[in-house]
Amino acid sequence: MKATVTAHARYIVSEIDPRLYGSFIEHLGRAVYTGIYEPGHATADEHGMRRDVIDLVRELNVPIVRYPGGNFVSAYNWEDGVGPKEQRPVRLDLAWHTSESNEVGLHEFADWCSSVGTEMMMAVNLGSRGLDEARNLLEYTNHPGGSYWSDMRIQNGRTEPFDIKLWCLGNEMDGPWQIGHKTADEYGRLAHETAKAMRAFDKSLELVVCGSSNAKMATYPSWEATVLDHTYNEVDYISLHMYFDNKAGDTANYLAQSQKLDDYIVSVAGVIDFIKAKKRSSKTVYISFDEWNVWYHSAEQDKKILGGAEGWPFAPPLLEDIYNFEDVLQVGLILNTFIRRSNVVRIACLAQLVNVIAPIMTEPNGAAWRQTTFYPYLFASLYGRGRALDLSVDSPTYSASAVGEVPSLDVSAVHDTETGHVAFFIVNRSDAPVRAEFSIEGFGETAPVIVDHQVMTHADLRAVNSAAHPDNVVPKRGEGARIDGSRLSADFAGYSYQMIRIKV
Ligand code: AHR
């Protein structure tokens, strides 16, 4: 089977916001405790943070990390996590039915962000609390000093403000499971007033209002319309979430699901445009897709942990999905969708980063390793920065009962004008091999050269990495891609992920 791809230097979707490759750490399961933080670990730094994990996160070059939840934030008191550690209270976390020791809070997490070289995307609790908590937290984190909350920060050891720019106004407030769940009108009003108060402190903050938890919610998409009607002039982003699964064991349908993601983005972009027009506004609100991933492998284990839990366990192994090779393809397809829609999706967060539905796993007191899905995320984060190109792709298709015809070859491309590199991210989601010709146009007279070619294939779609076998599913240097004048040609085995980077 044959496919053709045309890339032209002047056909551009958008300049990508690097925060498209963000991630997320929630106080959930072992993400924080024995994930990023384990004072007794052989690699622990002076703050008790695991250096082996810091190194893996640094490798991913994560631009922002959302914190501290997730569902957790909707009953969280941020004040519990500041001040002397020995005085911090143990609290019951109602979202995940666990105990929270508060050993890690704002200061510790901010220091960790500095160690891994990332920015914090902070969520405020609009579930059990509200406007007052949000404005106090903001004064604590961002005011230089001379006020009640900022002086408390200084007393707690941090002279300089944390200067957090990006804030989530609650989490999944459309979800009946959320502590303090609200109707769209209730939430819209609260989010608007909270945003107004936060902007009264600093106009330049970037604020994210909650959209739908997923496209299957009964309230979607009127939730977005109502919430944006209340908040449009005060916020910058609307948040969307989506998780993918192959519970049915049907690879063809599983790998077609990114079409649903695309539909979801396009529909919400339409709602944004509708409210923008209704408000006669010149301002554009964008999408922050701040939770996305594959999530289903751990479902049975989680039922046992939560169902069999005596009391309120501390840092139980919740949501520890072990990803397989098939999920590499899914993560590649999701990232391709975000790149192609980067004109409306400005921020996205892989949920999550360590142990909890994560590309990085750890053993308490033991090893840290890369899951299979680490790699497509790595390549997109490292080489997917620059201009997303508006490609013309002609590919064979297959029919998936859930969404109809989908192209076998799914492609995105990013032109980094500083290095002069174009990175193509290609997933063959069908079982049949495809030969593709890429026409590279408008980049200048010099013939392009291949600078890197990485391939992920595996005979077993269910193959995984583990502490004992961390390199079972890893990228290998690709062979056989050829450049002839301004044409690049390469073969794409059935079920394969490839990244080809050329200098133009
Ligand atoms: O990422 C896991 C959970 O998924 C988050 O806590 C919640 O926001 C979502 O439902």
Side-chain angles (χ1 to χ4, degrees), residues 302-311:
D302 289 345
K303 267 188 219 152
K304 278 190 214 137
I305 296 172
L306 290 172
E310 297 267 324

Coordinates of all heavy atoms in Angstrom, one line a residue, residues 302-311:
D302 N -7.2 -1.8 40.9 CA -7.7 -0.7 41.7 C -8.9 -1.0 42.4 O -9.1 -0.6 43.6 CB -7.9 0.6 40.8 CG -6.6 1.2 40.3 OD1 -5.5 0.8 40.9 OD2 -6.6 2.0 39.4
K303 N -9.8 -1.8 41.8 CA -11.0 -2.3 42.4 C -10.6 -3.0 43.7 O -11.3 -2.9 44.8 CB -11.8 -3.2 41.5 CG -12.9 -2.4 40.7 CD -13.8 -3.4 40.0 CE -14.1 -2.8 38.6 NZ -14.4 -3.9 37.6
K304 N -9.6 -3.9 43.6 CA -9.2 -4.7 44.7 C -8.6 -3.8 45.8 O -8.9 -4.0 47.0 CB -8.2 -5.8 44.3 CG -8.8 -7.0 43.7 CD -7.8 -8.1 43.5 CE -8.1 -8.8 42.2 NZ -7.0 -9.1 41.3
I305 N -7.8 -2.9 45.4 CA -7.1 -2.0 46.4 C -8.2 -1.2 47.2 O -8.2 -1.2 48.4 CB -6.1 -1.1 45.8 CG1 -5.0 -1.9 45.1 CG2 -5.5 -0.1 46.8 CD1 -4.0 -1.0 44.3
L306 N -9.1 -0.6 46.4 CA -10.0 0.3 47.1 C -11.1 -0.5 47.8 O -11.5 -0.2 48.9 CB -10.6 1.3 46.0 CG -9.6 2.3 45.6 CD1 -10.2 3.1 44.4 CD2 -9.2 3.2 46.7
G307 N -11.5 -1.6 47.1 CA -12.6 -2.5 47.7 C -12.1 -3.2 48.9 O -12.8 -3.3 49.9
G308 N -10.8 -3.6 48.9 CA -10.3 -4.4 50.0 C -9.6 -3.5 51.1 O -9.1 -4.0 52.1
A309 N -9.6 -2.2 50.8 CA -8.8 -1.3 51.7 C -9.4 -1.3 53.1 O -10.6 -1.0 53.3 CB -8.7 0.1 51.2
E310 N -8.6 -1.6 54.1 CA -9.0 -1.4 55.5 C -8.6 0.0 55.8 O -7.5 0.4 55.7 CB -8.2 -2.3 56.4 CG -8.4 -3.8 56.1 CD -9.5 -4.4 57.0 OE1 -9.5 -3.9 58.2 OE2 -10.2 -5.2 56.5
G311 N -9.6 0.8 56.2 CA -9.2 2.2 56.6 C -8.8 3.0 55.4 O -9.3 2.9 54.3

